[in-house]
Amino acid sequence: MNPNYAINVKEEIDKLLKVGFIRPVKKATWLSPIVVVPKKNGKIRVCVDYRKLNAATVIDAFPLPFTDGILDAVAGHEIYSFLDGFSGYNQVCMHPNDQEKTTFVTEWGVFVAIVMIFGLITTPTTFQRIIMEMFSYYIPSFMLTFLNDFVV
């Protein structure tokens, strides 16, 4: 492991704490490890290995749209706009009763997610359901969504 990874992981944890996406805890019922994944640009992505939690999770059967269906729907239009709902998952708070299930451990402590976090099996479907409810009046008349990407 690259020695700079530890410094970068600590920086990522500090950022998440500062923006209020995670909080420290002293006790944990569920506990998942982190995984450091190198990016092509030399930076790192800190991921939480939620495989055990995901295996015990009841799957949300809400359907995700097919990308080819969205592309077919916008084909031929004269004007369209693509919007990116940057950090969309992080705009959705975790239910307080479910926060403890997101517990992960690092060298610098044990933390839980306060907002929906990447890696949970139900994050995409939960977010898509919220987006569909928020924009149901506009879909499909002039707007389509795929998770945090919007086509107008």
Side-chain angles (χ1 to χ4, degrees):
M1 182 192 236
N2 183 329
N4 292 328
Y5 280 0
I7 295 166
N8 293 337
V9 171
K10 175 68 169 125
E11 289 173 0
E12 290 299 312
I13 297 299
D14 288 343
K15 285 181 198 175
L16 293 171
L17 283 166
K18 185 177 180 179
V19 296
F21 288 178
I22 64 172
R23 66 178 170 82
V25 293
K26 295 186 188 280
K27 296 180 181 178
T29 305
W30 291 87
L31 192 59
S32 297
I34 61 167
V35 179
V36 178
V37 180
K39 294 181 177 180
K40 291 179 184 177
N41 64 6
K43 295 185 178 186
I44 63 161
R45 172 172 283 133
V46 178
C47 302
V48 181
D49 183 359
Y50 283 125
R51 285 181 288 185
K52 287 186 179 180
L53 175 59
N54 287 338
T57 301
V58 175
I59 304 297
D60 180 1
F62 191 82
L64 296 177
F66 292 104
T67 308
D68 57 343
I70 290 174
L71 294 174
D72 288 345
V74 299
H77 288 289
E78 190 173 320
I79 299 173
Y80 55 90
S81 178
F82 291 99
L83 308 170
D84 182 14
F86 182 72
S87 295
Y89 298 162
N90 302 136
Q91 307 305 312
V92 180
C93 293
M94 291 289 297
H95 190 282
N97 294 344
D98 292 329
Q99 288 179 8
E100 74 173 70
K101 297 171 189 149
T102 67
T103 306
F104 62 96
V105 63
T106 72
E107 294 178 53
W108 304 276
V110 180
F111 305 91
V112 296
I114 298 170
V115 297
M116 256 191 343
I117 193 165
F118 182 78
L120 298 174
I121 198 166
T122 57
T123 295
T125 52
T126 300
F127 189 74
Q128 184 68 30
R129 181 188 311 275
I130 291 168
I131 292 301
M132 294 296 287
E133 288 174 5
M134 284 175 48
F135 296 111
S136 63
Y137 186 77
Y138 308 114
I139 299 170
S141 62
F142 68 87
M143 180 179 193
L144 298 169
T145 66
F146 182 79
L147 300 172
N148 66 332
D149 294 316
F150 308 93
V151 182
V152 181

